[in-house]
Amino acid sequence: MEIVWREGSDPVAYEKARTTHLFNALIPSRFPAAIASVKSEQDIIDAVKLAIARDLRISIRSGGHSYAAWSVREHAILIDIGEFRECELDTESGVVKVSPSLTGRELNDFLSERGRVFPVGHCPDVGVGGYLLGGGMGWNQPNIGWACEHIVAVDVVTAKGELVRADAQQNRDLFWVARGGGPAFPGIVARFHLQTFPAPEVMRSSGYIYTVEHYMIVFNWALKIAATFEDSIEIVALGSYQEGIDQPCITIALIAFGNDKEHITTLLQRIEDTHPPDPLSHWFNQPTNLTEQFNLKAQSYPAQHRYYVDNVFLKNSTDVASVLEPAFTTLPTRTSLALWTSLIPISRRPLPDMALSMQSDHYFALYAIWEDASADSRCQTWVDEVMEAVAVESVGSYLGELDFRSRTTMYWGEDQGRQLSEAKGRWDPGNRICGCLGLGGFNQ
């Protein structure tokens, strides 16, 4: 374990340790007492015991992709798990043991070589730790569901520095929180045990790009076809600038997964036959793979940029196209994005008993993305103003893509919120673990 203290260390070395792995270039002015870089399970235990001895709180960083940089906290030892690397597949059970720092791309590469797959996040450089704790809205969700549903166990270093296993048979309340509790999790996950699946034989892509003048027709078409999906197809509507076009455009992108090529072709052909006329460009039923899709996502969410992000699950009764029109048509920079995706069919079935408890047919996320600090106020105001209007139609938000300080909403159901609070009281009664930045009782 390597430790860099704020007091007495070289300022350059401290700042490097404080900000390493952070994705958002909008770096917060919060300064941990120390950063402990760990490389093993025992290092994590030792770091927790050091925090106890020094009467400091504990924050955790696995991938560093949190847009609000939740891990960077005052009066805390930041335990950086980025150098703790572990990935091992049990070929009989299909369960993979993985450290929280592995990215979605790394886990997918490891599994694909072995003919397996797990619903990792869409952005390739997101660490699986925060992604899974937050719920995990990943690839092939219409078929596989929420990623956290497929956590079969977690190995946890508690706030007392003890190592425990949590699963459906033991420490069940801690296991319950691990599936959707996000940064409210009252411990440090050292290892996830995840149920993987046979890799689908077929993955196909179709897409349709239109200028913003066609927004209402195109979006309502996307809503209509999404309402018929029973499996296989993942659909998004993306508001963005296209190269060489001076106004925002709307893209409807579809990814289909499965083992029956003819069935997937038939599904995509039905969509192809109904798409609105005059797209700027479009593609149909093209072979693709997650490596290609990861590369496209990396281009859409560029590194070394400043981000301000928010999201909602919209009421099923919402006039989605009308409510989201300002978001899709008033992007403040050429790199900013508005995104809608349908969660049908998984939104139509009850969730398992777990902390994750927010979902609806419609998920919407807003990403202000820019480079120059002089645009901070303009971009953040745009997100806040758009979300103020959209939030009227919200039933809650997804933990993975927001800043708790920007807006108050529901992140868990009322019953689940009470269970989270009770679990935190049992496992971390002294509030040693830094919780949800800016979220009341989960960050005392």
Side-chain angles (χ1 to χ4, degrees):
M1 177 173 64
E2 298 179 2
I3 301 179
V4 178
W5 293 93
R6 185 182 184 189
E7 298 296 331
S9 295
D10 173 61
V12 175
Y14 171 81
E15 186 62 9
K16 181 180 179 181
R18 184 179 80 96
T19 61
T20 190
H21 301 140
L22 293 183
F23 177 77
N24 191 350
L26 193 62
I27 304 295
S29 296
R30 300 189 298 271
F31 300 91
I35 299 92
S37 179
V38 302
K39 297 183 179 180
S40 68
E41 191 176 79
Q42 186 60 50
D43 279 352
I44 298 173
I45 294 170
D46 292 344
V48 171
K49 291 182 176 178
L50 176 62
I52 294 171
R54 296 291 186 100
D55 195 24
L56 292 168
R57 301 190 74 198
I58 295 166
S59 64
I60 306 101
R61 180 162 66 211
S62 53
H65 208 285
S66 159
Y67 292 110
W70 286 331
S71 62
V72 181
R73 309 293 282 273
E74 299 280 352
H75 311 298
I77 290 183
L78 192 171
I79 301 179
D80 192 326
I81 311 178
E83 300 304 317
F84 176 31
R85 318 288 291 172
E86 184 177 283
C87 194
E88 181 181 340
L89 177 68
D90 183 326
T91 55
E92 290 191 9
S93 67
V95 172
V96 64
K97 296 189 297 185
V98 59
S99 55
S101 60
L102 245 68
T103 67
R105 188 196 292 271
E106 290 170 332
L107 178 55
N108 180 72
D109 289 348
F110 174 85
L111 292 175
S112 64
E113 292 177 356
R114 294 158 177 82
R116 307 293 292 183
V117 70
F118 185 82
V120 297
H122 290 84
C123 295
D125 51 358
V126 173
V128 300
Y131 167 74
L132 288 167
L133 288 176
M137 192 181 299
W139 292 105
N140 203 9
Q141 191 163 1
N143 292 313
I144 298 180
W146 292 91
C148 69
E149 295 181 59
H150 309 297
I151 300 172
V152 297
V154 286
D155 297 328
V156 179
V157 178
T158 71
K160 294 180 180 179
E162 299 169 344
L163 182 65
V164 302
R165 170 71 61 86
D167 56 30
Q169 284 74 46
Q170 56 190 324
N171 300 314
R172 288 181 293 178
D173 57 342
L174 200 58
F175 178 60
W176 182 91
V177 179
R179 299 192 298 166
F185 187 78
I188 304 169
V189 177
R191 186 178 297 105
F192 290 94
H193 301 254
L194 308 173
Q195 182 62 60
T196 66
F197 302 87
E201 298 175 10
V202 182
M203 186 173 173
R204 292 289 187 270
S205 169
S206 289
Y208 309 85
I209 303 175
Y210 297 83
T211 56
V212 76
E213 287 92 342
H214 300 278
Y215 168 84
M216 290 300 295
I217 293 174
V218 171
F219 207 124
N220 280 311
W221 168 69
L223 290 165
K224 182 178 180 180
I225 60 175
T228 68
F229 292 169
E230 296 181 1
D231 59 17
S232 302
I233 298 179
E234 182 177 310
I235 182 171
V236 299
L238 189 68
S240 66
Y241 279 92
Q242 299 292 317
E243 186 174 353
I245 306 296
D246 293 333
Q247 57 185 323
C249 296
I250 179 170
T251 300
I252 306 301
L254 305 112
I255 303 289
F257 304 84
N259 297 322
D260 187 334
K261 183 178 178 181
E262 289 187 6
H263 175 64
I264 286 177
T265 298
T266 298
L267 294 177
L268 292 177
Q269 185 65 60
R270 291 173 185 167
I271 295 168
E272 172 76 7
D273 292 342
T274 64
H275 75 78
D278 303 321
L280 283 173
S281 64
H282 92 284
W283 61 97
F284 168 67
N285 197 24
Q286 295 296 305
T288 189
N289 54 57
L290 282 186
T291 297
E292 180 179 69
Q293 292 301 315
F294 279 145
N295 291 338
L296 292 172
K297 287 292 184 180
Q299 294 173 19
S300 296
Y301 301 91
Q304 306 303 316
H305 281 60
R306 302 163 86 84
Y307 284 78
Y308 190 62
V309 176
D310 203 346
N311 75 82
V312 295
F313 295 109
L314 292 166
K315 299 173 184 175
N316 292 348
S317 60
T318 301
D319 181 352
V320 176
S322 296
V323 168
L324 299 186
E325 184 173 14
F328 276 74
T329 60
T330 63
L331 303 172
T333 66
R334 291 191 65 87
T335 45
S336 295
L337 304 170
L339 179 146
W340 163 89
T341 188
S342 171
L343 296 185
I344 298 171
I346 65 167
S347 57
R348 301 294 176 87
R349 63 168 172 77
L351 289 167
D353 183 20
M354 57 186 182
L356 176 72
S357 42
M358 289 287 108
Q359 67 172 4
S360 73
D361 291 351
H362 308 287
Y363 174 73
F364 167 68
L366 197 59
Y367 305 84
I369 308 172
W370 69 102
E371 290 186 274
D372 193 335
S374 65
D376 286 0
S377 178
R378 175 169 59 89
C379 289
Q380 291 172 330
T381 298
W382 174 73
V383 171
D384 289 341
E385 290 181 348
V386 169
M387 295 305 298
E388 183 179 4
V390 172
V392 175
E393 299 294 331
S394 167
V395 298
S397 293
Y398 174 56
L399 293 168
E401 298 183 308
L402 53 80
D403 185 337
F404 292 122
R405 300 165 300 171
S406 64
R407 186 173 56 84
T408 300
T409 185
M410 295 287 290
Y411 308 102
W412 306 280
E414 291 184 6
D415 290 343
Q416 290 80 7
R418 283 192 292 270
Q419 285 184 251
L420 275 169
S421 183
E422 291 169 1
K424 179 172 177 59
R426 283 191 294 270
W427 288 97
D428 184 21
N431 288 309
R432 179 75 58 188
I433 308 295
C434 292
C436 304
L437 182 64
L439 190 58
F442 295 104
N443 183 42
Q444 294 177 357

